[in-house]
Amino acid sequence: MKAVKVRLKARGVIAEMTHVPHESASFHVTGEAIYIDDIPVNDQLLVGRVVYSPHAHASITSFDLSEARTIGGVHAVLSSRDIPGHNQMGPVVKDELCLAEGDVVCVGQAMFLIAAETEEQCHEAERAIKVSYKPLETILTIEAAMEKNSLMGPPAIIERGDVQGALRSAQHRVKGELHTGPQEHWYLESQVCLCIPGEGRDIFVHSSTQHPSETQALIAEVLGIGKNEVRVEVRRMGGAFGGKETQGNHSACWAALLCHATGRPVKIRLFRDDDMKITGKRHRFLSRYEAGFDNDGLIHAMNIDLNSDGGCATDLSFAIMQRAMLHVDNAYFIPNARVIGRVWKTNLPSNTAFRGFGGPQGMAVIEAIIDRIARHLKMDPVEIRKRNFYGTDSRNTTPYGQTVENNRLPLLYDCLMQSSEYRKRRIEIGRFNAGNEFFKKGIALTPVKFGISFTTSFLNQAGALVLIYKDGTVLVNHGGTEMGQGLHTKIRQIAAAEFGIPLDRVKVNATDTSKVPNTSATAASAGTDLNGMAVKNAIDTLKVRMAESMARLWTEKNPDKPSKAVDIVFKNDAIADSAHSGRSISFAEAIPHLYLRQVSLGTTGFYRTPAIGWDKEKGYGKPFHYFAFGMAVTEVLLDTLTGRHTILRADILHDVGDSINPQIDLGQVEGGYIQGNGWVTTEEVKWDEKGNLLTHSPDTYKIPSVQDIPKDFRTELLQGVPNPGTIRKSKAVAEPPLMLSLSTWLAIKDAVSAVGNHEIEPEFSLPATNEVIVLSIERIRANKILRPGVTVSVRGE
Ligand code: MTE
Ligand code: MOS
């Protein structure tokens, strides 16, 4: 109760100080916001097209581009032989060809590039390309990859305690298998890049990429030129969600090759269906687990095998598997734990980052385990969750050795159980279910604990370049990119607050590799944490310079009463000496003085996250600067005849520290949860037996729409919980809320379980599509034992 009061009291104050709309909100609404496809170019612009493999695995025995090259309006038709530099676009491991050479390894792999004056000419040229193939054996599932031992690389392991011993001596054991499905990013703006040739070898690149520095590097490599000749600019992306962390590079490299070959501006914008076929998705996982627990539901041990479908190339698969392994504990202390992660290689497009970056796949396993434990012990799952939560003083180290500091789980749990009226509704749901044969309700609470930092520790760095012009306006450059998440808005707020000036005096520039070098991807939810600190660092440097000069100026005017730089403050749109009243000048007026006094009014800033480090070979260390926490209660109504569900109510309480911008943070929390709901319910990716994607457009792939929003949606930010050691005591928000959607998945399972009066455990994979639900209900109605090999055993059996 106390925490709830604190929360509500603090709310009005914070909302008032930080009620700032997204910096592009009005542009988004009026259509003025410029996306790459809107950038005006001269009449030299050519359309670029990528011709991709129709086979999942085949060797190219011959190809002939000569006829395609003769078609009117066609300026270039390129194969791997026409690449002036290195034929590679693997971001970490160099195992991803820019254009196929010898073999094709998935449907959708780029083989040839066309630049022509019109789209139609591109299509005509594509039809004129002749290729012959020899089909090769294909691997299209994790199971098939296991059978063929098609591993992408060595397995990784995290281990603590005596897992086998603890499993053996446990009062109960639960064992099983969980499939979690892929997910298509469905950014509204498909992959797009515009390249404009400059003088000499210069190339100016407008790319929809989360990682401009990597895009720059790969273009330099495929063209065989210096990075200093490639300039990549990103004004904004029309959504990315991890899908442009590495795979924005692809269209960029292809457009750059065509631009280089033709000497003309070239734009590649993937048609939606092509985008869906060519690009990788969230990794599907096949996870096998065993957990040992006691009569009270306390977990003593878990043994978990995670297997992911990496697709045909490495991309970020190992980092994603690592994050999955680091999140199988989710919010729970498990004294004896062993987690093995294996990435399997298949003949599908290379899977990639997607909001949560493996975290959702890992967490789904432990949440499934807990749900099964509760059903076995006939206890409410919230009890099992609560009992296993990380402690504050003891039971607070993760299996990989990091202490869970500033644990918000108990506070979130107490507040949310109360505000959501969980217990009362649980009883009402029981009554409803007893009185309804065909409609059933279900409810579930799930927590999220998500580690913030890139697990590849050196990536946790950021740079900035802050410029003050003579009229007192400020231009901020930083390495992060805007994809709708509100990073630039927060950076603008940070800069204005640090200078003590109004927001409208600060502009955040488009991200530009010629302003800030060697940046990391805007990813891992760390955009504001890293870039915000780098911007603050630059502003701190400028403020010292400005303060010293102002102090000297005031001292020169009155040498008897010297001003000291340390007393100079920047607030209320003014620079003032806090030790001498009357010594104050407005910010805008001060700048011309400082200019005349030859003070440098532009500088760089830098930040690296302190005190983190992690040995991935040993599976031990402190990979994360801190953890983000959240919790959700979801209630669903299920039509047991069709499998259709409606979310009646969702209550979310999420921890973002001291929010820099509560409206943006609430948007991220709600958006993440809804996006996750798509993953756990309707978004089903299917391929045919030849590796062709069947679900390649919105008519076959169902993302959440406005009807899928909870009928009663209550989202709140936890208040009064400043996060130590971060920019303005804030916390990252972006990815963690996606995993709150596991409450929807388990609420549906709860409703299905009600069909059998909670006597028979439903079989449940993820996503819980209507089909999965109906089949699960049919099995319950037929009262069958569910999946062979999935058993709950009691000691002594
Ligand atoms: N929100 C919007 N509107 N669009 C996006 O593409 N991407 C998500 C998240 N929220 C995304 C989004 C992902 S995957 C990440 S990692 C973060 O935003 C990246 O931004 P941040 O680090 O600045 O929060
Ligand atoms: Mo986000 S998946 O880290 O781009």
Side-chain angles (χ1 to χ4, degrees):
M1 194 62 217
K2 213 167 153 200
V4 176
K5 263 194 197 146
V6 172
R7 191 149 55 86
L8 296 179
K9 225 161 71 189
R11 199 178 178 200
V13 184
I14 290 180
E16 218 174 83
M17 292 192 309
T18 48
H19 192 98
V20 175
H22 191 286
E23 44 86 33
S24 296
S26 63
F27 290 162
H28 289 156
V29 174
T30 58
E32 283 174 90
I34 294 178
Y35 294 88
I36 289 171
D37 210 24
D38 306 320
I39 296 173
V41 194
N42 59 26
D43 59 4
Q44 295 288 295
L45 179 67
L46 299 175
V47 181
R49 178 159 175 86
V50 46
V51 179
Y52 54 84
S53 164
H55 296 286
H57 196 194
S59 57
I60 305 168
T61 48
S62 69
F63 66 88
D64 182 359
L65 306 179
S66 53
E67 192 191 326
R69 283 175 170 148
T70 63
I71 287 166
V74 171
H75 288 249
V77 182
L78 309 179
S79 74
S80 62
R81 291 174 197 157
D82 306 302
I83 294 178
H86 192 196
N87 182 15
Q88 256 307 322
M89 51 182 191
V92 185
V93 178
K94 296 294 170 193
D95 66 348
E96 204 165 354
L97 295 173
C98 187
L99 293 176
E101 214 177 299
D103 292 352
V104 285
V105 289
C106 71
V107 174
Q109 184 184 0
M111 300 173 68
F112 310 110
L113 300 169
I114 302 169
E117 282 155 29
T118 67
E119 195 93 37
E120 290 68 35
Q121 290 159 351
C122 282
H123 285 290
E124 206 183 330
E126 181 171 356
R127 285 191 293 273
I129 293 175
K130 294 180 196 72
V131 195
S132 43
Y133 303 90
K134 193 167 128 263
L136 299 168
E137 194 184 29
T138 58
I139 297 176
L140 296 171
T141 61
I142 295 178
E143 288 87 341
M146 286 172 165
E147 227 167 76
K148 301 259 156 50
N149 201 26
S150 171
L151 267 177
M152 191 81 85
I157 182 160
I158 294 174
E159 194 165 15
R160 165 170 75 186
D162 174 14
V163 176
Q164 286 313 327
L167 279 175
R168 259 197 313 275
S169 60
Q171 284 168 325
H172 310 272
R173 280 182 294 277
V174 60
K175 193 173 174 179
E177 193 173 279
L178 177 69
H179 286 264
T180 56
Q183 186 178 21
E184 160 63 39
H185 300 84
W186 243 100
Y187 26 66
L188 286 181
E189 177 201 45
S190 59
Q191 303 280 357
V192 56
C193 180
L194 166 66
C195 291
I196 299 169
E199 59 184 32
R201 305 196 298 184
D202 285 1
I203 181 165
F204 183 28
V205 181
H206 296 275
S207 169
S208 188
T209 173
Q210 288 172 251
H211 200 345
S213 287
E214 193 170 78
T215 305
Q216 174 197 31
L218 289 170
I219 288 177
E221 282 167 32
V222 293
L223 294 184
I225 63 178
K227 290 191 180 75
N228 60 359
E229 294 169 300
V230 183
R231 180 177 157 207
V232 178
E233 185 189 281
V234 184
R235 174 72 267 180
R236 59 173 63 79
M237 283 162 274
F241 306 110
K244 296 171 182 174
E245 186 170 340
T246 58
Q247 302 203 355
N249 298 333
H250 300 181
S251 295
C253 287
W254 300 327
L257 283 168
L258 288 170
C259 175
H260 174 88
T262 59
R264 292 184 42 170
V266 176
K267 180 162 69 188
I268 291 184
R269 179 175 57 77
L270 296 184
F271 180 61
R272 175 68 58 185
D273 291 44
D274 290 337
D275 187 305
M276 291 178 81
K277 288 180 196 169
I278 291 175
T279 62
K281 326 241 164 277
R282 180 189 293 288
H283 291 68
R284 60 176 160 183
F285 271 53
L286 165 54
S287 305
R288 296 187 170 131
Y289 58 83
E290 186 170 12
F293 56 100
D294 62 24
N295 289 331
D296 297 325
L298 206 63
I299 303 175
H300 293 266
M302 68 176 186
N303 189 3
I304 294 182
D305 261 18
L306 299 176
N307 298 283
S308 74
D309 179 353
C312 63
T314 306
D315 192 277
L316 299 172
S317 293
F318 287 104
I320 289 164
M321 176 52 80
Q322 204 172 84
R323 186 166 280 273
M325 295 169 71
L326 292 170
H327 285 83
V328 279
D329 59 327
N330 193 14
Y332 313 106
F333 175 74
I334 295 157
N336 303 286
R338 182 167 180 269
V339 189
I340 296 189
R342 291 183 181 86
V343 180
W344 299 92
K345 192 169 175 169
T346 61
N347 295 114
L348 292 171
S350 185
N351 288 318
T352 194
F354 196 136
R355 202 171 190 170
F357 205 78
Q361 294 95 317
M363 278 184 205
V365 179
I366 189 72
E367 293 304 334
I369 290 174
I370 295 220
D371 191 82
R372 296 196 61 201
I373 292 174
R375 290 182 195 286
H376 179 66
L377 295 176
K378 302 234 178 293
M379 284 165 68
D380 190 322
V382 293
E383 289 307 325
I384 311 293
R385 293 203 158 84
K386 187 180 175 199
R387 284 173 197 187
N388 286 287
F389 279 157
Y390 277 108
T392 37
D393 301 318
S394 59
R395 293 172 54 84
N396 64 351
T397 49
T398 61
Y400 48 90
Q402 175 157 0
T403 305
V404 179
E405 288 168 304
N406 303 306
N407 181 355
R408 308 284 185 229
L409 295 164
L411 179 62
L412 285 169
Y413 181 83
D414 290 344
C415 291
L416 190 65
M417 281 297 281
Q418 193 182 51
S419 63
S420 70
E421 309 166 287
Y422 179 91
R423 296 201 191 280
K424 185 179 121 211
R425 287 160 67 202
R426 163 68 71 200
I427 294 166
E428 286 166 6
I429 287 169
R431 262 189 231 123
F432 176 92
N433 288 342
N436 281 280
E437 191 183 350
F438 297 121
F439 282 91
K440 297 289 177 193
K441 287 184 181 176
I443 191 167
L445 171 148
T446 59
V448 165
K449 168 187 127 286
F450 192 80
I452 303 297
S453 290
F454 288 98
T455 56
T456 304
S457 299
F458 71 82
L459 294 175
N460 296 289
Q461 56 172 301
L465 172 66
V466 177
L467 311 174
I468 309 171
Y469 294 101
K470 276 197 279 177
D471 62 354
T473 60
V474 173
L475 186 66
V476 177
N477 297 272
H478 65 92
T481 54
E482 176 64 38
M483 58 197 93
Q485 86 278 39
L487 172 60
H488 287 350
T489 311
K490 289 184 175 179
I491 294 288
R492 191 178 179 214
Q493 288 178 266
I494 290 165
E498 295 297 329
F499 274 130
I501 58 176
L503 271 183
D504 59 12
R505 209 81 64 65
V506 182
K507 190 174 156 65
V508 178
N509 213 10
T511 317
D512 187 334
T513 54
S514 71
K515 301 291 192 294
V516 182
N518 313 320
T519 55
S520 293
T522 305
S525 306
T528 304
D529 283 15
L530 299 174
N531 296 288
M533 278 294 204
V535 167
K536 180 181 183 305
N537 176 244
I539 292 175
D540 285 346
T541 305
L542 288 170
K543 278 161 63 176
V544 168
R545 282 183 204 160
M546 293 160 79
E548 280 170 355
S549 186
M550 285 311 302
R552 271 199 301 275
L553 180 76
W554 279 317
T555 305
E556 282 161 21
K557 282 189 182 155
N558 193 346
D560 294 344
K561 289 185 184 160
S563 274
K564 289 207 284 285
V566 288
D567 295 327
I568 307 295
V569 291
F570 292 71
K571 63 178 186 189
N572 301 329
D573 202 12
I575 305 175
D577 180 343
S578 59
H580 294 93
S581 65
R583 290 185 186 176
S584 175
I585 181 168
S586 85
F587 187 87
E589 276 173 332
I591 302 301
H593 287 289
L594 293 165
Y595 168 74
L596 291 174
R597 293 172 70 82
Q598 296 169 302
V599 176
S600 166
L601 293 170
T603 198
T604 58
F606 188 77
Y607 176 71
R608 74 178 84 88
T609 309
I612 51 170
W614 147 257
D615 183 335
K616 62 181 174 192
E617 302 308 320
K618 293 200 181 108
Y620 191 82
K622 187 188 179 207
F624 304 118
H625 189 30
Y626 60 88
F627 293 101
F629 300 93
M631 227 171 262
V633 172
T634 302
E635 180 183 348
V636 299
L637 174 68
L638 187 68
D639 176 344
T640 64
L641 298 179
T642 62
R644 185 172 186 275
H645 76 277
T646 308
I647 300 181
L648 298 176
R649 176 171 163 186
D651 293 66
I652 295 175
L653 187 53
H654 202 82
D655 163 32
V656 293
D658 279 351
S659 177
I660 292 175
N661 190 315
Q663 279 69 38
I664 283 179
D665 287 349
L666 284 170
Q668 285 289 299
V669 174
E670 292 180 345
Y673 168 80
I674 301 280
Q675 188 168 42
N677 281 347
W679 176 56
V680 305
T681 62
T682 59
E683 294 186 39
E684 194 177 28
V685 178
K686 284 196 166 183
W687 291 272
D688 70 10
E689 72 289 351
K690 292 193 165 154
N692 294 298
L693 182 67
L694 297 171
T695 48
H696 53 75
S697 67
D699 56 5
T700 44
Y701 187 76
K702 167 78 176 76
I703 61 169
S705 66
V706 71
Q707 291 100 320
D708 301 305
I709 293 170
K711 301 291 163 240
D712 183 355
F713 199 6
R714 309 183 188 196
T715 311
E716 284 212 50
L717 305 176
L718 190 66
Q719 299 290 340
V721 282
N723 189 33
T726 49
I727 184 76
R728 305 196 81 78
K729 300 193 166 37
S730 68
K731 243 183 204 191
V733 60
E735 294 172 282
L738 183 133
M739 285 148 270
L740 296 171
S741 61
L742 290 168
S743 62
T744 305
W745 182 58
L746 291 174
I748 295 174
K749 184 178 175 190
D750 190 45
V752 172
S753 170
V755 173
N757 213 10
H758 303 294
E759 300 293 330
I760 304 159
E761 213 210 312
E763 179 190 13
F764 235 65
S765 54
L766 185 161
T769 57
N770 290 19
E771 187 180 344
V772 165
I773 291 167
V774 168
L775 289 173
S776 183
I777 290 172
E778 273 185 13
R779 275 187 217 101
I780 290 177
R781 291 211 163 113
N783 201 355
K784 280 185 186 153
I785 292 297
L786 303 171
R787 193 189 295 144
V790 181
T791 53
V792 175
S793 67
V794 179
R795 185 154 63 150
E797 269 183 5

